[in-house]
Amino acid sequence: IEEEALIILPIVQILKTLEAEQISKVNGKLFLIRWIKQEKIMMNIYVNVMEVMILNILDCKKIRDDMLEKAKVKVQDKKMKLVVIQVVGDMASDIYIKNKKKVCEQIGIEFEHVTMPSDVEYETLAKTIKACNEDNFVTGLMLQLPLPQHLQQYEQQLINLIDWKKDVDGLTTENIGRLWSGQQCITPCTAQGIIDLIPFELEGKSVGIFGRSNLIGKPLVKLFTDRNATVTLCHTKTNQETRSRAMTS
């Protein structure tokens, strides 16, 4: 960490640097307003940080519950079904799929989990995806990632087999192209969720994005730009000067 660089610290570390703090209620939301001067932190390194830092503490549980209630109303009296195809072997994926199933059950969407052996061949997996495309009762389709090593070179090919109108991850080339050309599309949900949670106007703001994945970083560039923000996208090859500048965004 270089001197003069603005670094983003976990809240616990920030609290160690505070000289004063004030908590106030503004429009029903909780804001922490902190005055921070140059402070000695982390292995005797001095950094300059913003004199005033405002952290908007989001009540994400309430936001989630509100969204679930709205979703219940939206899908009411509709026949909707989500199919998740998983090539078994990744424990983290098991948890993600369990959570997807739970949410579907909460809001009234039928859920089907299709599992395939870890050594499944490309042709078999492709055939399963195509069958779901042709099934009119399936309204949403996901290929759970990551895939096992022998299928990773075919990842985008397999994703592109999904009908873009059922592509709930928004990762098909069709959906990505539609997003960037301003056409109707399915936006990757994490990127859209970040935009939806930001509680202030983005026009004229400078935004630093760290990571260039197709699921989050790249779509966020488009979503922020559409809202008239100026974006700096950083990744593993970004030099330190640009990273530091993006951190001040």
PDB file of all heavy atoms in Angstrom, residues 19-56:
ATOM      1  N   GLU A  19     -11.641   9.466  14.714  1.00  0.00           N
ATOM      2  CA  GLU A  19     -11.444  10.495  15.733  1.00  0.00           C
ATOM      3  C   GLU A  19     -12.789  10.942  16.278  1.00  0.00           C
ATOM      4  O   GLU A  19     -12.886  11.403  17.401  1.00  0.00           O
ATOM      5  CB  GLU A  19     -10.690  11.687  15.146  1.00  0.00           C
ATOM      6  CG  GLU A  19      -9.236  11.364  14.859  1.00  0.00           C
ATOM      7  CD  GLU A  19      -8.454  12.607  14.512  1.00  0.00           C
ATOM      8  OE1 GLU A  19      -9.053  13.630  14.194  1.00  0.00           O
ATOM      9  OE2 GLU A  19      -7.230  12.533  14.578  1.00  0.00           O
ATOM     10  N   ALA A  20     -13.814  10.833  15.471  1.00  0.00           N
ATOM     11  CA  ALA A  20     -15.164  11.194  15.926  1.00  0.00           C
ATOM     12  C   ALA A  20     -16.167  10.474  15.062  1.00  0.00           C
ATOM     13  O   ALA A  20     -15.884  10.079  13.948  1.00  0.00           O
ATOM     14  CB  ALA A  20     -15.364  12.708  15.814  1.00  0.00           C
ATOM     15  N   GLU A  21     -17.332  10.287  15.604  1.00  0.00           N
ATOM     16  CA  GLU A  21     -18.368   9.648  14.797  1.00  0.00           C
ATOM     17  C   GLU A  21     -19.729  10.157  15.253  1.00  0.00           C
ATOM     18  O   GLU A  21     -19.933  10.514  16.399  1.00  0.00           O
ATOM     19  CB  GLU A  21     -18.242   8.126  14.884  1.00  0.00           C
ATOM     20  CG  GLU A  21     -19.327   7.406  15.609  1.00  0.00           C
ATOM     21  CD  GLU A  21     -19.146   5.902  15.525  1.00  0.00           C
ATOM     22  OE1 GLU A  21     -18.039   5.433  15.198  1.00  0.00           O
ATOM     23  OE2 GLU A  21     -20.120   5.216  15.813  1.00  0.00           O
ATOM     24  N   GLN A  22     -20.626  10.251  14.325  1.00  0.00           N
ATOM     25  CA  GLN A  22     -21.979  10.704  14.631  1.00  0.00           C
ATOM     26  C   GLN A  22     -22.957   9.794  13.905  1.00  0.00           C
ATOM     27  O   GLN A  22     -22.777   9.484  12.734  1.00  0.00           O
ATOM     28  CB  GLN A  22     -22.184  12.152  14.163  1.00  0.00           C
ATOM     29  CG  GLN A  22     -23.617  12.637  14.353  1.00  0.00           C
ATOM     30  CD  GLN A  22     -23.778  14.034  13.804  1.00  0.00           C
ATOM     31  OE1 GLN A  22     -22.814  14.697  13.497  1.00  0.00           O
ATOM     32  NE2 GLN A  22     -25.018  14.465  13.685  1.00  0.00           N
ATOM     33  N   ILE A  23     -23.949   9.357  14.619  1.00  0.00           N
ATOM     34  CA  ILE A  23     -24.970   8.511  14.019  1.00  0.00           C
ATOM     35  C   ILE A  23     -26.269   9.298  13.963  1.00  0.00           C
ATOM     36  O   ILE A  23     -26.691   9.883  14.936  1.00  0.00           O
ATOM     37  CB  ILE A  23     -25.183   7.227  14.841  1.00  0.00           C
ATOM     38  CG1 ILE A  23     -23.883   6.424  14.900  1.00  0.00           C
ATOM     39  CG2 ILE A  23     -26.308   6.382  14.252  1.00  0.00           C
ATOM     40  CD1 ILE A  23     -23.990   5.181  15.737  1.00  0.00           C
ATOM     41  N   SER A  24     -26.867   9.359  12.804  1.00  0.00           N
ATOM     42  CA  SER A  24     -28.114  10.106  12.671  1.00  0.00           C
ATOM     43  C   SER A  24     -29.081   9.359  11.776  1.00  0.00           C
ATOM     44  O   SER A  24     -28.696   8.505  10.988  1.00  0.00           O
ATOM     45  CB  SER A  24     -27.854  11.493  12.085  1.00  0.00           C
ATOM     46  OG  SER A  24     -27.299  11.376  10.792  1.00  0.00           O
ATOM     47  N   LYS A  25     -30.348   9.662  11.917  1.00  0.00           N
ATOM     48  CA  LYS A  25     -31.391   9.090  11.077  1.00  0.00           C
ATOM     49  C   LYS A  25     -31.742  10.095   9.995  1.00  0.00           C
ATOM     50  O   LYS A  25     -32.044  11.246  10.270  1.00  0.00           O
ATOM     51  CB  LYS A  25     -32.638   8.778  11.908  1.00  0.00           C
ATOM     52  CG  LYS A  25     -32.484   7.626  12.868  1.00  0.00           C
ATOM     53  CD  LYS A  25     -32.853   6.318  12.199  1.00  0.00           C
ATOM     54  CE  LYS A  25     -32.886   5.182  13.215  1.00  0.00           C
ATOM     55  NZ  LYS A  25     -33.322   3.938  12.610  1.00  0.00           N
ATOM     56  N   VAL A  26     -31.663   9.658   8.737  1.00  0.00           N
ATOM     57  CA  VAL A  26     -32.019  10.516   7.625  1.00  0.00           C
ATOM     58  C   VAL A  26     -33.022   9.772   6.762  1.00  0.00           C
ATOM     59  O   VAL A  26     -32.708   8.719   6.210  1.00  0.00           O
ATOM     60  CB  VAL A  26     -30.789  10.900   6.786  1.00  0.00           C
ATOM     61  CG1 VAL A  26     -31.200  11.808   5.637  1.00  0.00           C
ATOM     62  CG2 VAL A  26     -29.740  11.567   7.650  1.00  0.00           C
ATOM     63  N   ASN A  27     -34.226  10.318   6.657  1.00  0.00           N
ATOM     64  CA  ASN A  27     -35.279   9.682   5.859  1.00  0.00           C
ATOM     65  C   ASN A  27     -35.485   8.211   6.226  1.00  0.00           C
ATOM     66  O   ASN A  27     -35.715   7.352   5.392  1.00  0.00           O
ATOM     67  CB  ASN A  27     -34.961   9.780   4.364  1.00  0.00           C
ATOM     68  CG  ASN A  27     -34.988  11.216   3.888  1.00  0.00           C
ATOM     69  OD1 ASN A  27     -35.745  12.024   4.405  1.00  0.00           O
ATOM     70  ND2 ASN A  27     -34.169  11.528   2.911  1.00  0.00           N
ATOM     71  N   GLY A  28     -35.378   7.927   7.506  1.00  0.00           N
ATOM     72  CA  GLY A  28     -35.646   6.571   7.965  1.00  0.00           C
ATOM     73  C   GLY A  28     -34.494   5.619   7.775  1.00  0.00           C
ATOM     74  O   GLY A  28     -34.566   4.463   8.165  1.00  0.00           O
ATOM     75  N   LYS A  29     -33.385   6.062   7.159  1.00  0.00           N
ATOM     76  CA  LYS A  29     -32.228   5.190   6.946  1.00  0.00           C
ATOM     77  C   LYS A  29     -31.125   5.552   7.940  1.00  0.00           C
ATOM     78  O   LYS A  29     -30.997   6.687   8.380  1.00  0.00           O
ATOM     79  CB  LYS A  29     -31.701   5.338   5.518  1.00  0.00           C
ATOM     80  CG  LYS A  29     -32.688   4.871   4.463  1.00  0.00           C
ATOM     81  CD  LYS A  29     -32.087   5.013   3.094  1.00  0.00           C
ATOM     82  CE  LYS A  29     -33.074   4.536   2.023  1.00  0.00           C
ATOM     83  NZ  LYS A  29     -32.521   4.674   0.670  1.00  0.00           N
ATOM     84  N   LEU A  30     -30.327   4.576   8.251  1.00  0.00           N
ATOM     85  CA  LEU A  30     -29.246   4.799   9.203  1.00  0.00           C
ATOM     86  C   LEU A  30     -27.963   5.190   8.471  1.00  0.00           C
ATOM     87  O   LEU A  30     -27.512   4.506   7.577  1.00  0.00           O
ATOM     88  CB  LEU A  30     -28.995   3.526  10.019  1.00  0.00           C
ATOM     89  CG  LEU A  30     -27.846   3.606  11.041  1.00  0.00           C
ATOM     90  CD1 LEU A  30     -28.190   4.619  12.110  1.00  0.00           C
ATOM     91  CD2 LEU A  30     -27.613   2.236  11.668  1.00  0.00           C
ATOM     92  N   PHE A  31     -27.401   6.326   8.845  1.00  0.00           N
ATOM     93  CA  PHE A  31     -26.151   6.761   8.243  1.00  0.00           C
ATOM     94  C   PHE A  31     -25.090   6.900   9.332  1.00  0.00           C
ATOM     95  O   PHE A  31     -25.366   7.377  10.437  1.00  0.00           O
ATOM     96  CB  PHE A  31     -26.310   8.120   7.559  1.00  0.00           C
ATOM     97  CG  PHE A  31     -27.047   8.058   6.263  1.00  0.00           C
ATOM     98  CD1 PHE A  31     -28.430   8.087   6.239  1.00  0.00           C
ATOM     99  CD2 PHE A  31     -26.364   7.966   5.063  1.00  0.00           C
ATOM    100  CE1 PHE A  31     -29.128   8.018   5.047  1.00  0.00           C
ATOM    101  CE2 PHE A  31     -27.055   7.903   3.865  1.00  0.00           C
ATOM    102  CZ  PHE A  31     -28.434   7.937   3.862  1.00  0.00           C
ATOM    103  N   LEU A  32     -23.905   6.468   9.027  1.00  0.00           N
ATOM    104  CA  LEU A  32     -22.770   6.715   9.906  1.00  0.00           C
ATOM    105  C   LEU A  32     -21.904   7.784   9.242  1.00  0.00           C
ATOM    106  O   LEU A  32     -21.435   7.608   8.126  1.00  0.00           O
ATOM    107  CB  LEU A  32     -21.940   5.436  10.090  1.00  0.00           C
ATOM    108  CG  LEU A  32     -22.664   4.254  10.745  1.00  0.00           C
ATOM    109  CD1 LEU A  32     -21.724   3.064  10.827  1.00  0.00           C
ATOM    110  CD2 LEU A  32     -23.165   4.627  12.116  1.00  0.00           C
ATOM    111  N   ILE A  33     -21.737   8.897   9.925  1.00  0.00           N
ATOM    112  CA  ILE A  33     -20.916   9.977   9.377  1.00  0.00           C
ATOM    113  C   ILE A  33     -19.643  10.042  10.203  1.00  0.00           C
ATOM    114  O   ILE A  33     -19.668  10.238  11.411  1.00  0.00           O
ATOM    115  CB  ILE A  33     -21.657  11.325   9.443  1.00  0.00           C
ATOM    116  CG1 ILE A  33     -22.990  11.209   8.681  1.00  0.00           C
ATOM    117  CG2 ILE A  33     -20.797  12.441   8.857  1.00  0.00           C
ATOM    118  CD1 ILE A  33     -23.834  12.453   8.748  1.00  0.00           C
ATOM    119  N   ARG A  34     -18.515   9.888   9.547  1.00  0.00           N
ATOM    120  CA  ARG A  34     -17.247   9.804  10.265  1.00  0.00           C
ATOM    121  C   ARG A  34     -16.243  10.820   9.719  1.00  0.00           C
ATOM    122  O   ARG A  34     -16.096  10.952   8.510  1.00  0.00           O
ATOM    123  CB  ARG A  34     -16.672   8.388  10.154  1.00  0.00           C
ATOM    124  CG  ARG A  34     -17.576   7.322  10.755  1.00  0.00           C
ATOM    125  CD  ARG A  34     -16.887   5.978  10.709  1.00  0.00           C
ATOM    126  NE  ARG A  34     -17.628   5.006  11.489  1.00  0.00           N
ATOM    127  CZ  ARG A  34     -18.433   4.085  10.979  1.00  0.00           C
ATOM    128  NH1 ARG A  34     -18.603   4.010   9.685  1.00  0.00           N
ATOM    129  NH2 ARG A  34     -19.072   3.242  11.760  1.00  0.00           N
ATOM    130  N   TRP A  35     -15.559  11.478  10.623  1.00  0.00           N
ATOM    131  CA  TRP A  35     -14.498  12.375  10.231  1.00  0.00           C
ATOM    132  C   TRP A  35     -13.169  11.650  10.466  1.00  0.00           C
ATOM    133  O   TRP A  35     -12.866  11.239  11.585  1.00  0.00           O
ATOM    134  CB  TRP A  35     -14.537  13.642  11.068  1.00  0.00           C
ATOM    135  CG  TRP A  35     -15.687  14.525  10.731  1.00  0.00           C
ATOM    136  CD1 TRP A  35     -15.685  15.599   9.903  1.00  0.00           C
ATOM    137  CD2 TRP A  35     -17.032  14.389  11.203  1.00  0.00           C
ATOM    138  NE1 TRP A  35     -16.948  16.142   9.812  1.00  0.00           N
ATOM    139  CE2 TRP A  35     -17.788  15.417  10.596  1.00  0.00           C
ATOM    140  CE3 TRP A  35     -17.693  13.502  12.057  1.00  0.00           C
ATOM    141  CZ2 TRP A  35     -19.142  15.595  10.832  1.00  0.00           C
ATOM    142  CZ3 TRP A  35     -19.034  13.666  12.288  1.00  0.00           C
ATOM    143  CH2 TRP A  35     -19.749  14.692  11.676  1.00  0.00           C
ATOM    144  N   ILE A  36     -12.408  11.476   9.398  1.00  0.00           N
ATOM    145  CA  ILE A  36     -11.159  10.729   9.507  1.00  0.00           C
ATOM    146  C   ILE A  36     -10.008  11.584   8.974  1.00  0.00           C
ATOM    147  O   ILE A  36     -10.045  12.042   7.847  1.00  0.00           O
ATOM    148  CB  ILE A  36     -11.221   9.424   8.693  1.00  0.00           C
ATOM    149  CG1 ILE A  36     -12.480   8.630   9.069  1.00  0.00           C
ATOM    150  CG2 ILE A  36      -9.991   8.570   8.949  1.00  0.00           C
ATOM    151  CD1 ILE A  36     -12.673   7.394   8.214  1.00  0.00           C
ATOM    152  N   LYS A  37      -9.007  11.807   9.774  1.00  0.00           N
ATOM    153  CA  LYS A  37      -7.810  12.518   9.321  1.00  0.00           C
ATOM    154  C   LYS A  37      -6.710  11.499   9.066  1.00  0.00           C
ATOM    155  O   LYS A  37      -6.879  10.302   9.248  1.00  0.00           O
ATOM    156  CB  LYS A  37      -7.358  13.519  10.377  1.00  0.00           C
ATOM    157  CG  LYS A  37      -8.360  14.663  10.586  1.00  0.00           C
ATOM    158  CD  LYS A  37      -7.824  15.650  11.590  1.00  0.00           C
ATOM    159  CE  LYS A  37      -8.802  16.792  11.785  1.00  0.00           C
ATOM    160  NZ  LYS A  37      -8.317  17.772  12.776  1.00  0.00           N
ATOM    161  N   GLN A  38      -5.543  11.996   8.642  1.00  0.00           N
ATOM    162  CA  GLN A  38      -4.444  11.065   8.392  1.00  0.00           C
ATOM    163  C   GLN A  38      -4.151  10.312   9.686  1.00  0.00           C
ATOM    164  O   GLN A  38      -3.925  10.882  10.730  1.00  0.00           O
ATOM    165  CB  GLN A  38      -3.198  11.822   7.938  1.00  0.00           C
ATOM    166  CG  GLN A  38      -2.131  10.909   7.384  1.00  0.00           C
ATOM    167  CD  GLN A  38      -0.980  11.705   6.813  1.00  0.00           C
ATOM    168  OE1 GLN A  38      -0.448  12.558   7.492  1.00  0.00           O
ATOM    169  NE2 GLN A  38      -0.610  11.428   5.587  1.00  0.00           N
ATOM    170  N   GLU A  39      -4.199   8.994   9.610  1.00  0.00           N
ATOM    171  CA  GLU A  39      -4.142   8.164  10.808  1.00  0.00           C
ATOM    172  C   GLU A  39      -3.157   7.025  10.592  1.00  0.00           C
ATOM    173  O   GLU A  39      -3.003   6.522   9.504  1.00  0.00           O
ATOM    174  CB  GLU A  39      -5.539   7.603  11.088  1.00  0.00           C
ATOM    175  CG  GLU A  39      -5.696   6.893  12.414  1.00  0.00           C
ATOM    176  CD  GLU A  39      -5.806   7.842  13.590  1.00  0.00           C
ATOM    177  OE1 GLU A  39      -6.053   9.029  13.350  1.00  0.00           O
ATOM    178  OE2 GLU A  39      -5.608   7.388  14.728  1.00  0.00           O
ATOM    179  N   LYS A  40      -2.495   6.628  11.656  1.00  0.00           N
ATOM    180  CA  LYS A  40      -1.518   5.544  11.567  1.00  0.00           C
ATOM    181  C   LYS A  40      -2.258   4.211  11.652  1.00  0.00           C
ATOM    182  O   LYS A  40      -2.860   3.876  12.657  1.00  0.00           O
ATOM    183  CB  LYS A  40      -0.518   5.650  12.708  1.00  0.00           C
ATOM    184  CG  LYS A  40       0.661   4.681  12.609  1.00  0.00           C
ATOM    185  CD  LYS A  40       1.642   4.957  13.727  1.00  0.00           C
ATOM    186  CE  LYS A  40       2.861   4.058  13.599  1.00  0.00           C
ATOM    187  NZ  LYS A  40       3.837   4.289  14.682  1.00  0.00           N
ATOM    188  N   ILE A  41      -2.239   3.427  10.577  1.00  0.00           N
ATOM    189  CA  ILE A  41      -2.961   2.163  10.553  1.00  0.00           C
ATOM    190  C   ILE A  41      -2.144   1.121   9.805  1.00  0.00           C
ATOM    191  O   ILE A  41      -1.333   1.439   8.952  1.00  0.00           O
ATOM    192  CB  ILE A  41      -4.339   2.295   9.863  1.00  0.00           C
ATOM    193  CG1 ILE A  41      -4.160   2.820   8.440  1.00  0.00           C
ATOM    194  CG2 ILE A  41      -5.284   3.177  10.640  1.00  0.00           C
ATOM    195  CD1 ILE A  41      -5.435   2.859   7.647  1.00  0.00           C
ATOM    196  N   MET A  42      -2.356  -0.113  10.121  1.00  0.00           N
ATOM    197  CA  MET A  42      -1.812  -1.258   9.387  1.00  0.00           C
ATOM    198  C   MET A  42      -0.306  -1.171   9.171  1.00  0.00           C
ATOM    199  O   MET A  42       0.176  -0.626   8.201  1.00  0.00           O
ATOM    200  CB  MET A  42      -2.520  -1.421   8.043  1.00  0.00           C
ATOM    201  CG  MET A  42      -3.985  -1.812   8.169  1.00  0.00           C
ATOM    202  SD  MET A  42      -4.778  -2.002   6.568  1.00  0.00           S
ATOM    203  CE  MET A  42      -3.854  -3.407   5.936  1.00  0.00           C
ATOM    204  N   MET A  43       0.446  -1.698  10.089  1.00  0.00           N
ATOM    205  CA  MET A  43       1.905  -1.833   9.973  1.00  0.00           C
ATOM    206  C   MET A  43       2.595  -0.494   9.752  1.00  0.00           C
ATOM    207  O   MET A  43       3.471  -0.337   8.898  1.00  0.00           O
ATOM    208  CB  MET A  43       2.261  -2.808   8.847  1.00  0.00           C
ATOM    209  CG  MET A  43       1.713  -4.208   9.049  1.00  0.00           C
ATOM    210  SD  MET A  43       2.220  -5.357   7.763  1.00  0.00           S
ATOM    211  CE  MET A  43       1.449  -4.632   6.331  1.00  0.00           C
ATOM    212  N   ASN A  44       2.186   0.499  10.541  1.00  0.00           N
ATOM    213  CA  ASN A  44       2.829   1.815  10.538  1.00  0.00           C
ATOM    214  C   ASN A  44       2.800   2.521   9.189  1.00  0.00           C
ATOM    215  O   ASN A  44       3.627   3.377   8.903  1.00  0.00           O
ATOM    216  CB  ASN A  44       4.283   1.701  11.006  1.00  0.00           C
ATOM    217  CG  ASN A  44       4.385   1.159  12.414  1.00  0.00           C
ATOM    218  OD1 ASN A  44       3.594   1.535  13.272  1.00  0.00           O
ATOM    219  ND2 ASN A  44       5.338   0.281  12.656  1.00  0.00           N
ATOM    220  N   ILE A  45       1.851   2.170   8.349  1.00  0.00           N
ATOM    221  CA  ILE A  45       1.714   2.835   7.053  1.00  0.00           C
ATOM    222  C   ILE A  45       0.715   3.970   7.194  1.00  0.00           C
ATOM    223  O   ILE A  45      -0.366   3.801   7.727  1.00  0.00           O
ATOM    224  CB  ILE A  45       1.236   1.848   5.974  1.00  0.00           C
ATOM    225  CG1 ILE A  45       2.284   0.764   5.768  1.00  0.00           C
ATOM    226  CG2 ILE A  45       0.956   2.580   4.663  1.00  0.00           C
ATOM    227  CD1 ILE A  45       1.852  -0.314   4.796  1.00  0.00           C
ATOM    228  N   TYR A  46       1.071   5.151   6.680  1.00  0.00           N
ATOM    229  CA  TYR A  46       0.168   6.281   6.715  1.00  0.00           C
ATOM    230  C   TYR A  46      -0.552   6.397   5.370  1.00  0.00           C
ATOM    231  O   TYR A  46       0.060   6.291   4.319  1.00  0.00           O
ATOM    232  CB  TYR A  46       0.948   7.581   6.972  1.00  0.00           C
ATOM    233  CG  TYR A  46       1.339   7.758   8.409  1.00  0.00           C
ATOM    234  CD1 TYR A  46       2.510   7.206   8.904  1.00  0.00           C
ATOM    235  CD2 TYR A  46       0.520   8.470   9.278  1.00  0.00           C
ATOM    236  CE1 TYR A  46       2.875   7.353  10.222  1.00  0.00           C
ATOM    237  CE2 TYR A  46       0.873   8.636  10.602  1.00  0.00           C
ATOM    238  CZ  TYR A  46       2.045   8.073  11.077  1.00  0.00           C
ATOM    239  OH  TYR A  46       2.403   8.231  12.392  1.00  0.00           O
ATOM    240  N   VAL A  47      -1.825   6.608   5.410  1.00  0.00           N
ATOM    241  CA  VAL A  47      -2.570   6.844   4.187  1.00  0.00           C
ATOM    242  C   VAL A  47      -3.505   8.013   4.400  1.00  0.00           C
ATOM    243  O   VAL A  47      -3.907   8.313   5.520  1.00  0.00           O
ATOM    244  CB  VAL A  47      -3.397   5.608   3.770  1.00  0.00           C
ATOM    245  CG1 VAL A  47      -2.520   4.436   3.433  1.00  0.00           C
ATOM    246  CG2 VAL A  47      -4.409   5.263   4.846  1.00  0.00           C
ATOM    247  N   ASN A  48      -3.796   8.721   3.337  1.00  0.00           N
ATOM    248  CA  ASN A  48      -4.795   9.781   3.395  1.00  0.00           C
ATOM    249  C   ASN A  48      -6.144   9.191   3.021  1.00  0.00           C
ATOM    250  O   ASN A  48      -6.283   8.538   2.010  1.00  0.00           O
ATOM    251  CB  ASN A  48      -4.455  10.904   2.399  1.00  0.00           C
ATOM    252  CG  ASN A  48      -3.299  11.741   2.881  1.00  0.00           C
ATOM    253  OD1 ASN A  48      -3.072  11.850   4.083  1.00  0.00           O
ATOM    254  ND2 ASN A  48      -2.556  12.326   1.965  1.00  0.00           N
ATOM    255  N   VAL A  49      -7.110   9.422   3.846  1.00  0.00           N
ATOM    256  CA  VAL A  49      -8.457   8.968   3.559  1.00  0.00           C
ATOM    257  C   VAL A  49      -9.386  10.159   3.548  1.00  0.00           C
ATOM    258  O   VAL A  49      -9.027  11.256   3.964  1.00  0.00           O
ATOM    259  CB  VAL A  49      -8.940   7.923   4.596  1.00  0.00           C
ATOM    260  CG1 VAL A  49      -8.096   6.682   4.545  1.00  0.00           C
ATOM    261  CG2 VAL A  49      -8.958   8.512   5.991  1.00  0.00           C
ATOM    262  N   MET A  50     -10.578   9.971   3.033  1.00  0.00           N
ATOM    263  CA  MET A  50     -11.529  11.067   2.955  1.00  0.00           C
ATOM    264  C   MET A  50     -11.789  11.654   4.331  1.00  0.00           C
ATOM    265  O   MET A  50     -11.923  10.936   5.304  1.00  0.00           O
ATOM    266  CB  MET A  50     -12.849  10.568   2.358  1.00  0.00           C
ATOM    267  CG  MET A  50     -12.755  10.200   0.910  1.00  0.00           C
ATOM    268  SD  MET A  50     -14.332   9.598   0.271  1.00  0.00           S
ATOM    269  CE  MET A  50     -14.462   8.038   1.147  1.00  0.00           C
ATOM    270  N   GLU A  51     -11.885  12.980   4.401  1.00  0.00           N
ATOM    271  CA  GLU A  51     -12.144  13.632   5.676  1.00  0.00           C
ATOM    272  C   GLU A  51     -13.529  13.283   6.192  1.00  0.00           C
ATOM    273  O   GLU A  51     -13.777  13.197   7.381  1.00  0.00           O
ATOM    274  CB  GLU A  51     -12.008  15.151   5.548  1.00  0.00           C
ATOM    275  CG  GLU A  51     -10.581  15.597   5.321  1.00  0.00           C
ATOM    276  CD  GLU A  51     -10.451  17.096   5.316  1.00  0.00           C
ATOM    277  OE1 GLU A  51     -11.491  17.761   5.477  1.00  0.00           O
ATOM    278  OE2 GLU A  51      -9.333  17.587   5.156  1.00  0.00           O
ATOM    279  N   VAL A  52     -14.458  13.072   5.264  1.00  0.00           N
ATOM    280  CA  VAL A  52     -15.798  12.663   5.660  1.00  0.00           C
ATOM    281  C   VAL A  52     -16.165  11.410   4.884  1.00  0.00           C
ATOM    282  O   VAL A  52     -16.079  11.387   3.674  1.00  0.00           O
ATOM    283  CB  VAL A  52     -16.847  13.760   5.370  1.00  0.00           C
ATOM    284  CG1 VAL A  52     -18.247  13.269   5.760  1.00  0.00           C
ATOM    285  CG2 VAL A  52     -16.498  15.028   6.124  1.00  0.00           C
ATOM    286  N   MET A  53     -16.533  10.351   5.570  1.00  0.00           N
ATOM    287  CA  MET A  53     -16.969   9.123   4.915  1.00  0.00           C
ATOM    288  C   MET A  53     -18.390   8.816   5.371  1.00  0.00           C
ATOM    289  O   MET A  53     -18.669   8.761   6.565  1.00  0.00           O
ATOM    290  CB  MET A  53     -16.042   7.965   5.270  1.00  0.00           C
ATOM    291  CG  MET A  53     -16.448   6.630   4.630  1.00  0.00           C
ATOM    292  SD  MET A  53     -15.272   5.332   5.001  1.00  0.00           S
ATOM    293  CE  MET A  53     -13.897   5.844   3.994  1.00  0.00           C
ATOM    294  N   ILE A  54     -19.269   8.656   4.413  1.00  0.00           N
ATOM    295  CA  ILE A  54     -20.644   8.340   4.735  1.00  0.00           C
ATOM    296  C   ILE A  54     -20.929   6.921   4.267  1.00  0.00           C
ATOM    297  O   ILE A  54     -20.789   6.617   3.102  1.00  0.00           O
ATOM    298  CB  ILE A  54     -21.629   9.314   4.057  1.00  0.00           C
ATOM    299  CG1 ILE A  54     -21.323  10.744   4.510  1.00  0.00           C
ATOM    300  CG2 ILE A  54     -23.073   8.938   4.368  1.00  0.00           C
ATOM    301  CD1 ILE A  54     -22.214  11.772   3.845  1.00  0.00           C
ATOM    302  N   LEU A  55     -21.290   6.084   5.201  1.00  0.00           N
ATOM    303  CA  LEU A  55     -21.606   4.698   4.879  1.00  0.00           C
ATOM    304  C   LEU A  55     -23.110   4.504   5.019  1.00  0.00           C
ATOM    305  O   LEU A  55     -23.651   4.646   6.109  1.00  0.00           O
ATOM    306  CB  LEU A  55     -20.873   3.736   5.823  1.00  0.00           C
ATOM    307  CG  LEU A  55     -19.347   3.804   5.790  1.00  0.00           C
ATOM    308  CD1 LEU A  55     -18.768   2.871   6.838  1.00  0.00           C
ATOM    309  CD2 LEU A  55     -18.835   3.448   4.414  1.00  0.00           C
ATOM    310  N   ASN A  56     -23.760   4.205   3.944  1.00  0.00           N
ATOM    311  CA  ASN A  56     -25.194   3.944   4.003  1.00  0.00           C
ATOM    312  C   ASN A  56     -25.394   2.488   4.390  1.00  0.00           C
ATOM    313  O   ASN A  56     -25.031   1.581   3.659  1.00  0.00           O
ATOM    314  CB  ASN A  56     -25.824   4.215   2.637  1.00  0.00           C
ATOM    315  CG  ASN A  56     -27.324   4.091   2.675  1.00  0.00           C
ATOM    316  OD1 ASN A  56     -27.909   3.952   3.739  1.00  0.00           O
ATOM    317  ND2 ASN A  56     -27.949   4.120   1.517  1.00  0.00           N
TER     318      ASN A  56
END
